[in-house]
mmCIF file of all heavy atoms in Angstrom:
data_model
loop_
_atom_site.group_PDB
_atom_site.id
_atom_site.type_symbol
_atom_site.label_atom_id
_atom_site.label_comp_id
_atom_site.label_asym_id
_atom_site.label_seq_id
_atom_site.Cartn_x
_atom_site.Cartn_y
_atom_site.Cartn_z
ATOM 1 N N LYS A 502 98.895 -42.057 11.241
ATOM 2 C CA LYS A 502 97.876 -42.496 12.211
ATOM 3 C C LYS A 502 97.796 -41.849 13.486
ATOM 4 O O LYS A 502 98.862 -41.400 14.022
ATOM 5 C CB LYS A 502 98.080 -44.011 12.362
ATOM 6 C CG LYS A 502 97.786 -44.905 11.123
ATOM 7 C CD LYS A 502 96.337 -45.113 10.881
ATOM 8 C CE LYS A 502 96.060 -45.837 9.561
ATOM 9 N NZ LYS A 502 96.563 -47.155 9.481
ATOM 10 N N LEU A 522 86.152 -42.663 15.334
ATOM 11 C CA LEU A 522 86.514 -43.867 14.764
ATOM 12 C C LEU A 522 86.162 -43.889 13.248
ATOM 13 O O LEU A 522 86.986 -44.412 12.534
ATOM 14 C CB LEU A 522 85.609 -45.022 15.479
ATOM 15 C CG LEU A 522 86.109 -45.278 16.879
ATOM 16 C CD1 LEU A 522 84.994 -46.061 17.758
ATOM 17 C CD2 LEU A 522 87.447 -46.005 16.890
ATOM 18 N N GLY A 525 88.880 -42.689 11.239
ATOM 19 C CA GLY A 525 90.129 -43.536 11.254
ATOM 20 C C GLY A 525 90.964 -43.302 12.465
ATOM 21 O O GLY A 525 92.189 -43.758 12.509
ATOM 22 N N SER A 527 91.910 -44.089 16.267
ATOM 23 C CA SER A 527 91.717 -45.100 17.187
ATOM 24 C C SER A 527 91.455 -44.515 18.581
ATOM 25 O O SER A 527 91.990 -43.336 18.881
ATOM 26 C CB SER A 527 92.893 -46.046 17.288
ATOM 27 O OG SER A 527 92.999 -46.786 16.006
ATOM 28 N N SER A 548 80.482 -50.506 15.152
ATOM 29 C CA SER A 548 80.327 -50.642 13.687
ATOM 30 C C SER A 548 81.179 -49.602 13.004
ATOM 31 O O SER A 548 81.712 -49.776 12.038
ATOM 32 C CB SER A 548 78.821 -50.670 13.359
ATOM 33 O OG SER A 548 78.433 -49.318 13.075
ATOM 34 N N ALA A 549 81.375 -48.435 13.715
ATOM 35 C CA ALA A 549 82.314 -47.335 13.038
ATOM 36 C C ALA A 549 83.710 -47.961 13.083
ATOM 37 O O ALA A 549 84.443 -47.752 12.105
ATOM 38 C CB ALA A 549 82.235 -46.099 13.951
ATOM 39 N N ALA A 550 84.134 -48.639 14.092
ATOM 40 C CA ALA A 550 85.552 -49.164 14.182
ATOM 41 C C ALA A 550 85.693 -50.207 13.114
ATOM 42 O O ALA A 550 86.662 -50.258 12.404
ATOM 43 C CB ALA A 550 85.815 -49.821 15.525
ATOM 44 N N SER A 551 84.621 -51.017 12.912
ATOM 45 C CA SER A 551 84.843 -52.166 11.978
ATOM 46 C C SER A 551 84.805 -51.681 10.531
ATOM 47 O O SER A 551 85.621 -52.149 9.728
ATOM 48 C CB SER A 551 83.824 -53.326 12.304
ATOM 49 O OG SER A 551 82.917 -53.432 11.380
ATOM 50 N N THR A 552 84.166 -50.704 10.260
ATOM 51 C CA THR A 552 84.122 -49.954 8.937
ATOM 52 C C THR A 552 85.392 -49.347 8.613
ATOM 53 O O THR A 552 85.970 -49.471 7.500
ATOM 54 C CB THR A 552 82.987 -48.990 8.779
ATOM 55 O OG1 THR A 552 81.681 -49.707 9.198
ATOM 56 C CG2 THR A 552 82.769 -48.480 7.381
ATOM 57 N N SER A 553 85.899 -48.553 9.557
ATOM 58 C CA SER A 553 87.116 -47.717 9.268
ATOM 59 C C SER A 553 88.490 -48.585 9.580
ATOM 60 O O SER A 553 89.508 -48.180 9.008
ATOM 61 C CB SER A 553 87.184 -46.429 10.028
ATOM 62 O OG SER A 553 87.468 -46.871 11.427
ATOM 63 N N GLY A 554 88.373 -49.625 10.390
ATOM 64 C CA GLY A 554 89.611 -50.326 10.756
ATOM 65 C C GLY A 554 90.303 -49.695 11.925
ATOM 66 O O GLY A 554 91.321 -50.211 12.411
ATOM 67 N N ALA A 555 89.729 -48.501 12.436
ATOM 68 C CA ALA A 555 90.377 -48.039 13.693
ATOM 69 C C ALA A 555 90.080 -48.910 14.864
ATOM 70 O O ALA A 555 89.013 -49.663 14.803
ATOM 71 C CB ALA A 555 89.755 -46.561 13.830
ATOM 72 N N LYS A 556 90.890 -48.772 15.834
ATOM 73 C CA LYS A 556 90.801 -49.612 17.017
ATOM 74 C C LYS A 556 90.150 -48.954 18.223
ATOM 75 O O LYS A 556 90.308 -47.678 18.365
ATOM 76 C CB LYS A 556 92.231 -50.149 17.474
ATOM 77 C CG LYS A 556 93.059 -50.738 16.410
ATOM 78 C CD LYS A 556 92.446 -51.961 15.737
ATOM 79 C CE LYS A 556 93.103 -52.348 14.368
ATOM 80 N NZ LYS A 556 92.357 -53.202 13.645
ATOM 81 N N GLN A 776 99.110 -52.334 16.357
ATOM 82 C CA GLN A 776 98.274 -52.785 15.214
ATOM 83 C C GLN A 776 98.159 -51.733 14.113
ATOM 84 O O GLN A 776 97.732 -52.065 12.983
ATOM 85 C CB GLN A 776 96.810 -53.134 15.755
ATOM 86 C CG GLN A 776 96.763 -54.275 16.571
ATOM 87 C CD GLN A 776 95.473 -54.550 17.367
ATOM 88 O OE1 GLN A 776 94.329 -54.322 16.699
ATOM 89 N NE2 GLN A 776 95.480 -54.805 18.658
ATOM 90 N N ILE A 777 98.429 -50.437 14.475
ATOM 91 C CA ILE A 777 98.214 -49.397 13.374
ATOM 92 C C ILE A 777 99.497 -48.892 12.764
ATOM 93 O O ILE A 777 99.334 -48.143 11.750
ATOM 94 C CB ILE A 777 97.448 -48.248 13.965
ATOM 95 C CG1 ILE A 777 98.131 -47.540 15.034
ATOM 96 C CG2 ILE A 777 96.032 -48.642 14.328
ATOM 97 C CD1 ILE A 777 97.446 -46.118 15.405
#
Side-chain angles (χ1 to χ4, degrees):
K502 292 276 173 65
L522 291 163
S527 295
S548 97
S551 105
T552 307
S553 72
K556 311 295 170 196
Q776 291 173 46
I777 64 172

